Amino acid sequence: MINNAIHQYLYFMVFVLFTFIGIQQLTFRKKLQLNYFLAILFWAGAYNMLYFWAYDFGIQEKIPLLINSEIVVSFLVGPCLYLYFSALMGRNDIPGRILLLHGLPFLVSLILLAGMNLFYPALNATFGVAFRPAPDYSYNTTVFIVNTLCDLSIALYFLAALIRTVLLFKGRKVTVRTMLIIIYLVSFSLSAIMMLIANFTRNTALLQISFVFISAIATSFIIFSFRNPDYAIKVISETRGIRKSKALDKIDDIEERSASITRLMREKTFYRQPDITLPGLSKQLTIKPHELSYILNNVLMMNFNSYINSFRIEEAKSLLLQQDKMNVTEIAFHVGFNSTSSFYRSFVKETGVPPKEFMRGGTGPA
């Protein structure tokens, strides 16, 4: 009796804890996609704890439709944790088709187990005969296989998230925030593996230990998130910087790429477009925006506007020397400036003299 009471209090306490974390994730003023993943993750855990609590009281036997529903809900745990850390690692706008793909096991298990409960109630006749602190899924082969696949999927998802995180930060200085991510991932992975082993060996004690372990992790997560409300924003910013740095490390023959870009700029005269932007130019040059930005800042040692204006002034100087072709205003708009004032300002900055003085043979200050 005392042992059962401990289980009941433990399950209900964790249920309240997980429910609270889920609600907390939706109270932030600026909610990100990862907040919804984390909310669903902990609500799935909360439902399972409530299910185990109800199981101790034998409630499921009175509501056959709910039998094994915790297995169905558990199929959300692995994907939500993986997607949470994917969003944390910089993918904050995961498309709907990807979300649907990760949710397929949940939908399939829902149809299968709900169908069994509705149309084959006799299969659950032996449910709860071997009464234990946690459900014994061996009473039915189909249920046992589905539950094992569920535990395996959770372990694999956690492992995939861990590997992805480690690979991202491999060879980089690991900050305290990053280390905490890895610690949480390792801890959750160990809990999932413990649950998997417990179900295979039907070891109730190991199952209870995994519940206590994951409850302690959740509690620490609550305390940490309260003390660091902007934690996710900082990690996203940090990981995006690392992703960008890694991508730049892969640029081959950067000097050759730089020369190729300059050649294309002269040949295609992209600079003549008055409203040209860095993303727009990178698309026309078939290069990623961050790569183009890196080449401009670290190879050519100039910002985007200076780079574009250097080509405009170069062509303007050539046209100004052909005095019978176009006047100054026409030249300014022809080379891509959207106003004569910006043309004059840039021309003086580049040459040291106004356009008309340059036409008269002025070469600027010595």
Side-chain angles (χ1 to χ4, degrees):
M1 287 294 294
I2 295 177
N3 197 32
N4 279 345
I6 292 174
H7 294 145
Q8 291 162 7
Y9 283 123
L10 175 64
Y11 292 147
F12 195 78
M13 179 190 72
V14 177
F15 158 70
V16 173
L17 195 64
F18 281 14
T19 302
F20 177 76
I21 298 177
I23 294 172
Q24 177 204 18
Q25 293 303 310
L26 301 184
T27 59
F28 296 118
R29 181 176 298 177
K30 186 179 178 181
K31 290 185 285 292
L32 303 173
Q33 197 179 47
L34 59 83
N35 294 119
Y36 293 98
F37 293 144
L38 202 59
I40 296 172
L41 170 66
F42 278 101
W43 282 338
Y47 181 85
N48 279 4
M49 294 301 106
L50 184 64
Y51 183 94
F52 295 139
W53 175 79
Y55 180 89
D56 264 3
F57 288 100
I59 295 175
Q60 276 84 347
E61 294 178 80
K62 300 175 182 178
I63 313 176
L65 189 61
L66 293 181
I67 292 177
N68 301 316
S69 58
E70 86 288 6
I71 300 176
V72 176
V73 173
S74 294
F75 271 104
L76 293 172
V77 173
C80 283
L81 187 77
Y82 178 79
L83 292 170
Y84 169 75
F85 279 99
S86 293
L88 204 59
M89 294 300 105
R91 289 201 64 185
N92 197 40
D93 293 305
I94 300 172
R97 64 180 183 279
I98 300 297
L99 301 181
L100 181 60
L101 183 64
H102 285 289
L104 278 178
F106 164 77
L107 296 174
V108 172
S109 64
L110 175 64
I111 294 170
L112 177 62
L113 295 181
M116 287 175 59
N117 291 341
L118 280 172
F119 302 108
Y120 302 98
L123 291 176
N124 295 318
T126 56
F127 179 84
V129 171
F131 203 77
R132 292 151 34 120
D136 181 1
Y137 302 109
S138 62
Y139 79 97
N140 180 271
T141 303
T142 302
V143 172
F144 180 77
I145 292 173
V146 173
N147 181 67
T148 301
L149 290 174
C150 179
D151 289 339
L152 184 61
S153 74
I154 293 173
L156 290 176
Y157 265 114
F158 287 173
L159 184 61
L162 176 60
I163 292 172
R164 184 171 184 174
T165 304
V166 171
L167 288 177
L168 176 64
F169 290 98
K170 185 179 180 181
R172 306 284 163 170
K173 185 178 179 181
V174 180
T175 64
V176 174
R177 281 191 294 268
T178 304
M179 185 57 67
L180 282 171
I181 293 176
I182 296 174
I183 289 173
Y184 277 121
L185 273 170
V186 170
S187 301
F188 277 118
S189 299
L190 288 175
S191 299
I193 292 169
M194 286 166 62
M195 287 184 184
L196 182 61
I197 295 172
N199 277 321
F200 265 119
T201 60
R202 302 179 189 177
N203 189 326
T204 304
L206 183 60
L207 193 62
Q208 292 169 3
I209 291 171
S210 65
F211 285 148
V212 173
F213 189 36
I214 204 166
S215 302
I217 298 169
T219 304
S220 68
F221 186 88
I222 289 178
I223 296 171
F224 178 78
S225 60
F226 264 119
R227 296 186 64 180
N228 303 271
D230 57 347
Y231 168 77
I233 301 296
K234 290 179 179 178
V235 173
I236 289 172
S237 177
E238 182 179 325
T239 53
R240 281 179 177 171
I242 291 175
R243 280 180 177 276
K244 187 179 293 186
S245 176
K246 277 182 170 283
L248 295 174
D249 289 344
K250 296 178 181 178
I251 300 179
D252 298 323
D253 304 320
I254 195 163
E255 294 289 347
E256 185 180 333
R257 293 287 295 277
S258 174
S260 175
I261 288 170
T262 300
R263 185 174 62 255
L264 279 173
M265 286 292 290
R266 289 198 176 99
E267 291 175 356
K268 304 294 185 180
T269 63
F270 295 130
Y271 56 85
R272 288 181 181 173
Q273 303 168 28
D275 56 349
I276 192 169
T277 61
L278 191 145
L281 178 60
S282 65
K283 186 176 181 180
Q284 294 178 83
L285 294 170
T286 63
I287 185 174
K288 293 179 180 177
H290 63 263
E291 293 181 0
L292 177 58
S293 179
Y294 180 84
I295 290 173
L296 294 180
N297 295 322
N298 296 279
V299 180
L300 301 175
M301 301 301 177
M302 61 177 71
N303 60 35
F304 176 72
N305 287 333
S306 297
Y307 180 67
I308 295 298
N309 286 341
S310 68
F311 287 99
R312 290 171 174 170
I313 299 302
E314 182 182 347
E315 184 179 5
K317 286 162 63 177
S318 176
L319 292 172
L320 285 168
L321 296 177
Q322 303 172 29
Q323 298 177 20
D324 59 332
K325 296 290 183 181
M326 290 185 283
N327 60 39
V328 173
T329 301
E330 290 173 332
I331 289 172
F333 287 104
H334 175 76
V335 298
F337 287 98
N338 50 23
S339 70
T340 54
S341 60
S342 61
F343 170 62
Y344 271 80
R345 188 167 54 250
S346 297
F347 195 92
V348 171
K349 182 180 178 181
E350 183 77 19
T351 65
V353 295
K356 289 184 178 179
E357 186 174 338
F358 182 86
M359 290 173 66
R360 293 193 295 265
T363 56

